[in-house]
């Protein structure tokens, strides 16, 4: 498992990010290439590469990430309409191999996604 994912560098403050939230198990910051007026990423401190790599022991952590993601949307004023996305693997568009939840809100979100 890489110790040098881009998101680990953000966690370590080796590269800058607009941090929205942080606690002992996760960090959230604004996506550098936002796809909506709110586009945050919620990232566990633990560098799980993909959601498929998560184990049963990670379930409380994954639940916490979801709760933090919803709280970020709520606090930004989008409690009534937001989308959470996890891309798993390159074929699904994953580019950073450190699990993260995208929080998207602030525009009409079409379905199905691309
Ligand atoms: P994914 O394609 O699901 O792996 O999502 C990775 C996300 O990380 C993309 O939406 C990128 O725009 C975002 N990203 C890449 N580099 C940075 C960075 N330095 N700070 C914040 N977000 C980033």
């Amino acid at each position: 498992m890489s110790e040098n994912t881009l998101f680990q560098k953000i966690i370590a403050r080796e590269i800058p990010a607009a941090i929205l939230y942080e606690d002992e198990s996760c960090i959230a910051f604004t996506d550098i290439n936002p796809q909506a007026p709110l586009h945050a990423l919620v990232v566990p401190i633990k560098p799980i590469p993909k959601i498929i790599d998560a184990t049963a022991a990670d379930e409380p952590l994954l639940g916490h990430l979801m709760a933090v993601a919803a709280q970020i949307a709520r606090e930004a004023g989008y409690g009534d309409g937001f989308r959470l996305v996890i891309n798993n693997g390159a074929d699904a568009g994953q580019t950073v191999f450190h699990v993260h939840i995208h929080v998207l809100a602030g525009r009409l979100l079409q379905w199905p996604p691309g």
Side-chain angles (χ1 to χ4, degrees), residues 31-94:
D31 196 292
I32 203 167
N33 183 23
Q35 301 301 309
L38 172 65
H39 188 171
L41 302 173
V42 183
V43 180
I45 305 298
K46 180 180 179 181
I48 302 165
K50 305 192 301 291
I51 192 68
I52 196 76
D53 300 315
T55 67
D58 295 319
E59 288 179 9
L61 172 62
L62 299 179
H64 180 63
L65 300 179
M66 298 271 280
V68 168
Q71 182 66 13
I72 287 170
R74 182 187 297 114
E75 289 183 354
Y78 299 116
D80 287 335
F82 64 93
R83 182 173 292 167
L84 306 184
V85 173
I86 299 175
N87 296 320
N88 184 93
D91 286 355
Q94 186 175 6

